[in-house]
Amino acid sequence: EVQLVESGGGLVQPGGSLRLSCAASGFTFSSYAMSWVRQAPGKGLEWVSAINSGGGSTSYADSVKGRFTISRDNAKNTLYLQMNSLKPEDTAVYYCAKDLVFGRTGWGDRYDYWGQGTQVTVSS
């Protein structure tokens, strides 16, 4: 059974930092690209960042570029999102998502499994 379990969310002041983790199980983690997607209150889903299966290639939404860093540890089956210089507009539920395609070069925009999400609130 595929499972994605996010952790690391919380309340942080503007300018602060958080590190999200996503523990994966039930599939060959190192063979799939992974993404982070968020949903702010009252808004739709927003793609945040993606990383290829090997971890050597990444991409970011313009809204987080230069502030967020995605990474993965395939030995630990874990995906990370380091978030620095947080802004109130980063407030959202953050989800990790597994790419639909096995062994893809790069990443896609279709996912077959999602975590339950972790709440990030940026407020003074």
Side-chain angles (χ1 to χ4, degrees):
E1 177 189 7
V2 173
Q3 286 194 319
L4 298 170
V5 181
E6 300 97 337
S7 61
L11 173 64
V12 62
Q13 293 187 340
S17 297
L18 283 175
R19 188 194 196 201
L20 306 184
S21 298
C22 171
S25 61
F27 65 102
T28 306
F29 181 72
S30 59
S31 295
Y32 290 87
M34 298 291 295
S35 293
W36 287 98
V37 180
R38 69 186 180 184
Q39 186 168 29
K43 297 191 177 181
L45 293 171
E46 177 190 15
W47 171 80
V48 173
S49 182
I51 188 167
N52 71 338
S53 58
S57 186
T58 60
S59 184
Y60 300 92
D62 287 344
S63 58
V64 306
K65 199 172 294 181
R67 300 187 297 121
F68 290 12
T69 302
I70 190 172
S71 62
R72 64 191 297 161
D73 185 336
N74 285 344
K76 295 183 178 180
N77 290 350
T78 304
L79 176 72
Y80 303 100
L81 186 68
Q82 177 67 45
M83 306 186 295
N84 299 329
S85 302
L86 283 161
K87 304 175 181 181
E89 52 264 42
D90 294 318
T91 295
V93 178
Y94 285 71
Y95 301 92
C96 61
K98 172 185 169 290
D99 195 281
L100 181 65
V101 178
F102 173 87
R104 180 198 295 275
T105 299
W107 50 81
D109 59 1
R110 296 174 66 190
Y111 316 108
D112 56 358
Y113 288 94
W114 299 70
Q116 83 288 351
T118 187
Q119 176 70 48
V120 172
T121 302
V122 185
S123 175
S124 55

